[in-house]
Amino acid sequence: MRVLLSTIGSRGDVQPVVALAVRLRDLGEEVRVCAPPDFRDWIGGLGIPFTPLGPELRSTGKADPAAAPPSPERRRRMVETSIADQFETLSAAAEGCDVIVAGGYLVVAARSVAERTGIRYVFTAYCPVALPSPHHAPPPLPMRGDAPVDGTAGNRALWEQDARRWNDTFGAALDSHRASIGLAPVGDVRGHMFTDRPWLAADPVLGPWPEPGDPDVVQTGAWILPDERPLSAELEAFLDAGEPPVYFGFGSIRAPHDLGRTMVETARALGRRAVVLRGWAGLAPLDDEPDCLSIGEVNQQALFRRVAAVVHHGGAGTTTAAARAGAPQVVIPQHFDQHYWARRVDDLGAGTAHAPGAPTTGSLTEALGRTLRPEVAARARSLAGAVRTDGADVAARLLVAVDSRSPS
């Protein structure tokens, strides 16, 4: 079986796809990955055939999060360019493949390419709240410029509004390209992308589908990429030099202004040392004092087991990694599914949901202080044992099993 896995987004969107690719390869299947060019060296270094999709995204991490959103005309041009590139790139990459697996929410053309080439298509969400359900409201999708959800409307009405926004944003560009390859127009862009039986690559304890036993959603568990990289000598020395520090990081998303300063001031206010992940936003400590260490890309699975708490933006991958490690969390959500993960961490008693947006030293100190309480640490350790690690294997074996039943 030949599998094309594709996604568009930051590390949190790409790493689950890579985890599935590695597991499929271990099972003897052929895989290739389409993702933003930022990840070419990493994925290529794993020995996985890689095709770049779209522009580099790293520069977006340094963009001002308070800047005005793009105008409707610029957003329209961005959508048209993205969809045109998807049709061209995915069509070439899918040659000889048996199935396309689309991870995340922006690979709008993947199902059309699969339809044109006559192969299977699987859509995978990374968070329950991204899939329509009367039990929750839809998250805003930044590329569409969504306004905050109207909490006075019922969830069903909000999902209907969400479907119309998908059509308004992507419908014209998608249908234009479909017509050019002989396919009929799509009346429901979101339903077309998500299919009648989407997959959910989220841990069933951290992010349960709200309708247990629902046959229309396949919850595989989170797709986790095992990481055996050692920590750097500098980081090992820092960890060994005192009590467990607090980890601060915003991964590859935009960070509020002066967040690095706020993080270090918070740690010092509580008498804690700090490890600050630079990330795409280039976060940095205030100074060169020995109580803080600035780091680059790191093995979170190893590091999070050795910190007092993890303060982060609420990406699905970081939330799951911290939960697996038994580390208490402070989640400072910025957009999309991060608000959901913040609430889940808080509801599970394994940390604190900070208010969205930019924290102050006072607000972050209060949130971290609550999170460092012994009872929260105990709950986080207890939760660690319930988090599954076999999601990528479940998904890989499901793909292989379905393929083995397909007619030759």
Side-chain angles (χ1 to χ4, degrees), residues 216-227:
D216 295 330
V217 173
V218 180
Q219 184 158 18
T220 62
W223 298 350
I224 298 169
L225 180 66
D227 196 340

Side-chain angles (χ1 to χ4, degrees), residues 248-250 253 256 259 262-263 311-314 330-335 338-339 342 352-359 364 367:
F248 297 89
F250 255 46
I253 73 162
L259 181 62
T262 300
M263 288 172 165
V311 180
H312 63 101
H313 58 295
V330 176
V331 184
I332 313 169
Q334 302 299 301
H335 57 73
Q338 297 165 9
H339 305 285
T352 302
H354 189 282
L364 190 53

Side-chain angles (χ1 to χ4, degrees), residues 4-147:
L4 173 62
L5 302 108
S6 185
T7 189
I8 296 175
S10 63
R11 179 79 175 226
D13 298 287
V14 176
Q15 186 152 319
V17 162
V18 175
L20 179 58
V22 168
R23 187 66 194 116
L24 282 165
R25 185 183 60 184
D26 291 345
L27 293 174
E29 310 301 330
E30 295 184 38
V31 295
R32 59 187 70 166
V33 170
C34 276
D38 310 74
F39 304 98
R40 182 197 308 268
D41 292 344
W42 170 47
I43 295 173
L46 295 171
I48 298 172
F50 176 79
T51 300
L53 177 60
E56 289 194 354
L57 301 178
R58 186 176 296 272
S59 62
T60 62
K62 293 183 179 294
D64 182 3
S71 67
E73 175 59 23
R74 181 164 179 264
R75 190 179 301 120
R76 182 187 64 79
R77 292 196 302 268
M78 291 167 61
V79 167
E80 289 180 348
T81 299
S82 176
I83 290 181
D85 188 41
Q86 290 177 41
F87 270 93
E88 179 180 0
T89 302
L90 293 175
S91 294
E95 290 185 9
C97 288
D98 302 294
V99 58
I100 297 177
V101 179
Y105 318 100
L106 295 177
V107 192
V108 181
R111 186 174 184 184
S112 297
V113 171
E115 186 179 346
R116 177 67 178 82
T117 53
I119 63 177
R120 288 193 297 128
Y121 165 81
V122 175
F123 170 80
T124 303
Y126 301 144
C127 177
V129 77
L131 297 175
S133 169
H135 299 281
H136 53 239
L141 192 63
M143 190 173 185
R144 296 191 312 228
D146 288 0

